[in-house]
Amino acid sequence: MRPYLFSFKIGGVVVRAEPSWLFLALLVGWSLAVGFFPDQNAALGTSTYVFMAILGVFGLTFSIIAHELAHTFVGRALGMPINRVTLFMFGGAAELEEEPKSPMIELVMALAGPLMSLFLALVFSQLAMLDLAGGPQAPLAMVLAYLGLINLLLGLFNMLPAFPLDGGRVLRALIWLLGGDRRKATRWASLAGEGFAVFFILAGIYVLISTGSLAGLWWVLIGFFLRGAAKSSRVELETRLALGDIAAIDLVTPDIETADAGMTVADFIADKLVRHHRDWFAVTDGERLVGRAGLAEAQAVPLGARATTRLSAIAIKPGVNDILPARAGADRAFAQMQKHHLLRVYLLDGERFAGTLSMADLLEYARLRNLFADARLG
C-alpha cells in the first residue's frame, strides 16, 4: 500500500496527499514567509510571517481540494465513476476510472474546476477587503488577498489549452464535438500540451540564465511534468480505446501452464521453475485458483524442507483486486491494473481458473493495434 501524508473522505470521495505534496507545501510556505508577505508589509515579526505562511499553505491546500472536488462531484452527477482526489507535487487530480463517454460530459466537467477557483478568488478577495480583516496591511487581510490571487492564477493557469490541464480537456472536448473522433481530438490536445510544455521549459531556462531566479527552475519542472503528462494521457486513452472491444480472456495465451497445489516445493523447482525457465506460476487445485508461487517463495523454503513442503503452503493468495471475470472487457482489466498498481490479474470463468493477463500483454496488444490503425489512416 502506498504511503500518504493524509487521507480522508468527503461525500464518498477519498482525498489524499502523496509525500511529494510536502515538498510543494514547504516550498510555498518558505516563499511566503521570507519573500511574499515581508514584501507586502515589512513591519511584522518573523513569527507572524511564519504563522501567515502556515495559514497560506492550508488555504492553498483547501483551494486545490475544492478545485478537484468540483470536477469530481460534477463528473459523478454526469455518471462518471470518480472516487479519489490525490494531491502531489504539481497540484492535484481527480482520478478518472474511465474516460468521458461524450464531449459534453468532458466539457462541463473540465470547466467545473476553474470556475470553482475563480469563485474562490472572488470570495477570498472580498473577505480581504472587509473591515474585520483589519485593513490591507493586516496579517489576516494579507493572507486572504494571497488566497484570492492564488485562486485566480490557479483558475487561469488551468484554462491553458494544454492537455491534460482543464483547458486542454476543454480543447479536446470541442475538437471531439466538432469532428466526432475522440482519438484525433486527444492527439491534437496532447500536441498542444507538449507545445506549451516546451514553452515552459525554454522560458524557465531563460529566466534561470538571465536572472538566476529559482522561479525559472520551477517553470522547467512544470514543463517536464506537463510534457510527460500530455504524452502519457494520450497513450493511456489510445490504449483504452484499443482494448475497448475485446474480452480479457481473448488476450490470454492458450494452453495455460500452471503448477499443482499438491506438489512439493522440490518438484516445483525441478519440474517448473528450472525446466520452463519462468519466474513464477499460477498455482491451482484442479480447476480452482489457489494463488501464485515463484523463485522468491521457493527460495524462502529451507533446503531440507523442500521435499516435504507442499506448494499450497507457500502460494501467495490472490486479493480481491487481483481477480477479474474472464469475459470482462480488456479495457476494464487495464483500468483495474492501473488503479491498484498491478502487473497482472487472474481471470476466472465462474470458479474455474481461465488464465493470467499481464499489463505487458495489454500494452503490447494495444501498441500493435494502434500501429496498424495508423498505417490504415496513413
Side-chain angles (χ1 to χ4, degrees):
M1 187 175 180
R2 298 176 67 183
Y4 294 99
L5 293 175
F6 62 79
S7 179
F8 62 90
K9 273 191 175 183
I10 179 169
V13 177
V14 175
V15 179
R16 59 195 186 180
E18 293 184 350
S20 64
W21 171 255
L22 184 60
F23 173 80
L24 177 63
L26 292 174
L27 179 63
V28 170
W30 175 78
S31 64
L32 290 176
V34 304
F36 185 84
F37 289 139
D39 288 345
Q40 302 297 311
N41 184 350
L44 303 175
T46 300
S47 60
T48 302
Y49 293 133
V50 171
F51 181 69
M52 291 166 66
I54 292 172
L55 288 180
V57 170
F58 275 102
L60 174 63
T61 304
F62 165 80
S63 299
I64 293 178
I65 290 174
H67 177 108
E68 298 304 334
L69 286 177
H71 289 307
T72 300
F73 289 124
V74 169
R76 292 179 76 168
L78 296 172
M80 294 291 297
I82 310 172
N83 297 309
R84 295 187 308 280
V85 166
T86 302
L87 305 184
F88 55 98
M89 185 171 67
F90 294 102
E95 298 183 27
L96 302 179
E97 295 187 13
E98 61 182 46
E99 286 291 319
K101 292 181 170 57
S102 76
M104 288 307 298
I105 291 177
E106 170 122 89
L107 181 63
V108 173
M109 190 169 65
L111 288 171
L115 288 175
M116 172 59 77
S117 294
L118 295 178
F119 170 73
L120 290 177
L122 178 62
V123 170
F124 283 123
S125 298
Q126 291 299 311
L127 289 174
M129 291 188 292
L130 291 177
D131 289 339
L132 59 86
Q137 294 299 301
L140 179 58
M142 291 168 62
V143 173
L144 290 170
Y146 161 74
L147 293 175
L149 173 63
I150 202 66
N151 273 282
L152 176 63
L153 295 176
L154 184 63
L156 294 177
F157 176 78
N158 273 279
M159 280 307 296
L160 289 175
F163 193 80
L165 296 180
D166 298 332
R169 290 190 172 275
V170 169
L171 175 63
R172 182 176 79 161
L174 293 174
I175 297 174
W176 181 9
L177 187 64
L178 294 173
D181 189 328
R182 178 169 54 175
R183 190 166 179 263
K184 287 185 178 179
T186 301
R187 284 191 171 185
W188 282 108
S190 296
L191 286 173
E194 293 186 48
F196 273 96
V198 171
F199 168 77
F200 279 120
I201 293 170
L202 294 178
I205 292 173
Y206 173 77
V207 170
L208 270 173
I209 294 174
S210 61
T211 69
S213 171
L214 289 178
L217 178 60
W218 191 245
W219 281 39
V220 171
L221 291 175
I222 290 175
F224 277 110
F225 166 76
L226 186 59
R227 186 173 183 272
K231 184 176 180 180
S232 64
S233 295
R234 183 182 74 248
V235 170
E236 179 181 341
L237 176 67
E238 290 181 346
T239 299
R240 290 193 182 199
L241 291 177
L243 299 172
D245 58 354
I246 188 169
I249 190 63
D250 293 332
L251 297 182
V252 172
T253 304
D255 303 323
I256 307 160
E257 181 69 31
T258 62
D260 187 84
M263 72 190 311
T264 65
V265 173
D267 289 339
F268 173 62
I269 293 171
D271 297 339
K272 297 295 182 179
L273 295 178
V274 176
R275 181 172 296 179
H276 294 278
H277 315 292
R278 287 178 54 184
D279 292 336
W280 66 275
F281 286 83
V283 179
T284 58
D285 182 1
E287 293 188 334
R288 183 179 64 87
L289 176 68
V290 173
R292 70 172 174 86
L295 289 172
E297 291 73 37
Q299 287 178 320
V301 179
L303 184 61
R306 292 175 183 175
T308 57
T309 302
R310 299 296 173 185
L311 191 57
S312 57
I314 68 168
I316 299 174
K317 307 297 187 289
V320 63
N321 297 317
D322 298 320
I323 295 172
L324 200 64
R327 299 310 305 177
D331 56 342
R332 179 181 165 188
F334 177 71
Q336 186 161 313
M337 281 188 263
Q338 272 201 319
K339 178 179 178 180
H340 300 289
H341 310 288
L342 304 174
L343 294 177
R344 65 189 67 85
V345 288
Y346 305 103
L347 304 181
L348 299 184
D349 185 3
E351 296 295 320
R352 184 181 67 84
F353 175 60
T356 305
L357 183 62
S358 71
M359 178 64 84
D361 294 331
L362 293 174
L363 293 177
E364 182 62 9
Y365 172 84
R367 185 187 72 82
L368 291 172
R369 187 165 184 181
N370 285 324
L371 176 67
F372 288 105
D374 289 342
R376 288 197 302 271
L377 291 172

Coordinates of all heavy atoms in Angstrom, one line a residue, residues 232 234-240 242-243 251 330-331 333-335 337-338 342-343 357-371:
S232 N 1.6 10.7 -21.7 CA 1.1 9.5 -21.0 C -0.4 9.5 -21.1 O -1.0 8.4 -21.2 CB 1.6 9.5 -19.6 OG 1.0 10.6 -18.8
R234 N -2.2 10.7 -23.5 CA -2.6 10.3 -24.9 C -2.4 8.8 -25.1 O -3.3 8.1 -25.6 CB -1.7 11.0 -25.9 CG -2.1 10.7 -27.4 CD -1.2 11.3 -28.4 NE 0.1 10.7 -28.4 CZ 1.3 11.3 -28.1 NH1 1.2 12.5 -27.5 NH2 2.4 10.7 -28.1
V235 N -1.3 8.2 -24.6 CA -1.0 6.8 -24.7 C -2.1 6.0 -23.9 O -2.6 5.0 -24.4 CB 0.4 6.5 -24.2 CG1 0.6 5.0 -24.0 CG2 1.4 7.1 -25.1
E236 N -2.4 6.5 -22.7 CA -3.4 5.8 -21.9 C -4.8 5.7 -22.6 O -5.4 4.7 -22.7 CB -3.6 6.5 -20.6 CG -4.7 5.8 -19.7 CD -4.8 6.5 -18.4 OE1 -3.9 7.3 -18.0 OE2 -5.9 6.4 -17.7
L237 N -5.2 6.9 -23.2 CA -6.5 6.9 -23.9 C -6.5 5.9 -25.1 O -7.4 5.2 -25.4 CB -6.9 8.3 -24.3 CG -8.2 8.3 -25.1 CD1 -9.4 7.9 -24.3 CD2 -8.4 9.7 -25.8
E238 N -5.4 6.0 -25.9 CA -5.3 5.2 -27.1 C -5.2 3.7 -26.7 O -5.8 2.9 -27.4 CB -4.0 5.5 -27.9 CG -4.1 6.9 -28.5 CD -2.9 7.3 -29.4 OE1 -1.8 6.6 -29.2 OE2 -2.9 8.2 -30.2
T239 N -4.6 3.4 -25.5 CA -4.6 2.0 -25.0 C -6.0 1.6 -24.7 O -6.5 0.5 -25.1 CB -3.7 1.9 -23.8 OG1 -2.4 2.2 -24.2 CG2 -3.7 0.5 -23.3
R240 N -6.8 2.4 -24.0 CA -8.1 2.1 -23.6 C -9.0 1.9 -24.8 O -9.9 1.0 -24.8 CB -8.7 3.2 -22.7 CG -8.1 3.2 -21.3 CD -8.9 4.1 -20.3 NE -8.2 4.2 -19.0 CZ -8.9 4.5 -17.9 NH1 -10.2 4.8 -18.0 NH2 -8.3 4.6 -16.8
A242 N -8.1 1.0 -27.8 CA -7.7 -0.2 -28.5 C -8.2 -1.5 -27.8 O -8.5 -2.5 -28.4 CB -6.2 -0.3 -28.6
L243 N -8.4 -1.4 -26.5 CA -8.8 -2.5 -25.7 C -10.4 -2.6 -25.5 O -10.9 -3.5 -24.9 CB -8.2 -2.5 -24.3 CG -6.6 -2.6 -24.3 CD1 -6.1 -2.4 -22.9 CD2 -6.2 -3.9 -24.8
L251 N -7.1 -12.3 -24.8 CA -5.7 -11.9 -24.9 C -4.8 -12.8 -24.1 O -3.6 -12.6 -24.0 CB -5.5 -10.5 -24.4 CG -6.3 -9.4 -25.2 CD1 -6.0 -8.0 -24.6 CD2 -5.8 -9.5 -26.7
A330 N -11.2 -6.1 -21.9 CA -9.8 -5.9 -21.7 C -9.5 -4.5 -21.1 O -8.5 -4.3 -20.4 CB -9.0 -6.1 -23.0
D331 N -10.3 -3.5 -21.5 CA -10.1 -2.2 -21.0 C -10.4 -2.1 -19.5 O -9.8 -1.3 -18.8 CB -11.0 -1.2 -21.8 CG -12.5 -1.5 -21.8 OD1 -12.8 -2.7 -21.5 OD2 -13.3 -0.6 -22.1
A333 N -9.8 -4.6 -17.5 CA -8.6 -5.2 -16.9 C -7.5 -4.1 -16.8 O -6.8 -4.0 -15.8 CB -8.2 -6.4 -17.7
F334 N -7.3 -3.4 -17.8 CA -6.3 -2.3 -17.9 C -6.6 -1.3 -16.8 O -5.6 -0.9 -16.0 CB -6.3 -1.6 -19.3 CG -5.4 -0.5 -19.4 CD1 -4.0 -0.7 -19.5 CD2 -5.8 0.8 -19.5 CE1 -3.1 0.3 -19.6 CE2 -5.0 1.9 -19.6 CZ -3.6 1.6 -19.7
A335 N -7.8 -0.8 -16.7 CA -8.2 0.1 -15.6 C -8.0 -0.4 -14.2 O -7.5 0.3 -13.4 CB -9.6 0.6 -15.8
M337 N -5.8 -2.8 -13.3 CA -4.4 -2.9 -13.0 C -3.8 -1.5 -12.8 O -2.9 -1.4 -11.9 CB -3.7 -3.6 -14.2 CG -3.9 -5.1 -14.1 SD -2.8 -6.0 -15.3 CE -4.0 -6.2 -16.6
Q338 N -4.2 -0.5 -13.5 CA -3.7 0.8 -13.3 C -4.1 1.3 -11.9 O -3.3 1.9 -11.2 CB -4.3 1.8 -14.3 CG -3.4 1.9 -15.6 CD -3.7 3.1 -16.3 OE1 -4.9 3.6 -16.4 NE2 -2.7 3.8 -16.9
L342 N -1.1 -3.0 -10.4 CA -0.9 -4.4 -10.5 C -0.1 -4.7 -11.8 O -0.3 -4.0 -12.8 CB -2.2 -5.2 -10.6 CG -3.2 -5.0 -9.4 CD1 -4.5 -5.7 -9.6 CD2 -2.5 -5.5 -8.1
L343 N 0.7 -5.8 -11.8 CA 1.3 -6.2 -13.0 C 0.5 -7.3 -13.8 O 0.8 -7.5 -15.0 CB 2.7 -6.9 -12.6 CG 3.7 -5.9 -12.0 CD1 5.0 -6.7 -11.6 CD2 4.1 -4.8 -13.0
L357 N -3.6 -12.6 -17.1 CA -3.4 -11.5 -18.1 C -2.5 -10.4 -17.5 O -2.7 -10.0 -16.4 CB -4.8 -10.9 -18.4 CG -4.7 -9.8 -19.5 CD1 -4.2 -10.3 -20.8 CD2 -6.1 -9.2 -19.7
S358 N -1.4 -10.1 -18.2 CA -0.4 -9.2 -17.6 C -0.6 -7.8 -18.3 O -1.2 -7.7 -19.4 CB 1.0 -9.7 -17.9 OG 1.3 -9.6 -19.2
M359 N -0.1 -6.8 -17.6 CA -0.1 -5.4 -18.1 C 0.7 -5.4 -19.4 O 0.4 -4.7 -20.4 CB 0.5 -4.4 -17.1 CG 0.6 -3.0 -17.6 SD -1.1 -2.3 -18.0 CE -1.6 -1.7 -16.4
A360 N 1.8 -6.2 -19.5 CA 2.6 -6.2 -20.7 C 1.8 -6.7 -21.9 O 2.0 -6.2 -23.0 CB 3.9 -7.1 -20.4
D361 N 1.0 -7.8 -21.6 CA 0.1 -8.3 -22.7 C -0.8 -7.2 -23.2 O -0.9 -7.1 -24.5 CB -0.7 -9.5 -22.2 CG 0.1 -10.7 -21.8 OD1 1.2 -10.9 -22.4 OD2 -0.3 -11.4 -20.9
L362 N -1.4 -6.5 -22.4 CA -2.3 -5.4 -22.8 C -1.7 -4.3 -23.5 O -2.2 -3.9 -24.6 CB -3.0 -4.9 -21.5 CG -4.0 -5.8 -20.7 CD1 -4.4 -5.1 -19.5 CD2 -5.2 -6.2 -21.6
L363 N -0.5 -3.9 -23.0 CA 0.2 -2.8 -23.7 C 0.7 -3.2 -25.1 O 0.7 -2.3 -26.0 CB 1.3 -2.3 -22.8 CG 0.9 -1.6 -21.5 CD1 2.1 -1.3 -20.7 CD2 0.1 -0.4 -21.7
E364 N 1.2 -4.4 -25.2 CA 1.7 -4.8 -26.5 C 0.6 -5.0 -27.5 O 0.7 -4.6 -28.7 CB 2.5 -6.1 -26.3 CG 3.1 -6.7 -27.6 CD 4.2 -5.7 -28.2 OE1 4.6 -4.7 -27.5 OE2 4.6 -6.0 -29.3
Y365 N -0.5 -5.5 -27.1 CA -1.7 -5.7 -28.0 C -2.1 -4.3 -28.4 O -2.4 -4.0 -29.6 CB -2.8 -6.4 -27.3 CG -4.1 -6.4 -28.1 CD1 -4.3 -7.3 -29.1 CD2 -5.1 -5.4 -27.9 CE1 -5.5 -7.3 -29.8 CE2 -6.3 -5.4 -28.6 CZ -6.5 -6.3 -29.6 OH -7.6 -6.3 -30.3
A366 N -2.3 -3.3 -27.5 CA -2.7 -2.0 -27.8 C -1.7 -1.3 -28.8 O -2.1 -0.6 -29.7 CB -3.0 -1.2 -26.6
R367 N -0.4 -1.5 -28.5 CA 0.6 -0.8 -29.3 C 0.5 -1.3 -30.8 O 0.5 -0.5 -31.7 CB 2.0 -1.1 -28.7 CG 3.1 -0.4 -29.5 CD 4.5 -0.9 -29.0 NE 4.8 -2.3 -29.4 CZ 5.3 -2.6 -30.6 NH1 5.5 -1.6 -31.5 NH2 5.6 -3.8 -30.9
L368 N 0.4 -2.6 -30.9 CA 0.3 -3.2 -32.3 C -1.0 -2.8 -33.0 O -1.0 -2.4 -34.2 CB 0.5 -4.7 -32.3 CG 1.8 -5.2 -31.8 CD1 1.8 -6.7 -31.6 CD2 2.9 -4.8 -32.9
R369 N -2.1 -2.8 -32.2 CA -3.3 -2.4 -32.9 C -3.3 -0.9 -33.3 O -3.8 -0.6 -34.4 CB -4.5 -2.6 -31.9 CG -5.8 -2.4 -32.5 CD -7.0 -3.0 -31.7 NE -8.2 -2.8 -32.4 CZ -9.4 -3.2 -31.9 NH1 -9.5 -3.8 -30.7 NH2 -10.5 -3.0 -32.6
N370 N -2.8 -0.1 -32.4 CA -2.7 1.4 -32.8 C -1.7 1.6 -33.9 O -1.9 2.5 -34.8 CB -2.3 2.2 -31.6 CG -3.4 2.4 -30.6 OD1 -4.6 2.5 -31.0 ND2 -3.1 2.4 -29.3
L371 N -0.6 0.8 -34.0 CA 0.3 0.9 -35.0 C -0.3 0.6 -36.4 O -0.1 1.4 -37.4 CB 1.5 -0.1 -34.8 CG 2.6 -0.1 -35.9 CD1 3.3 1.2 -36.0 CD2 3.5 -1.3 -35.6

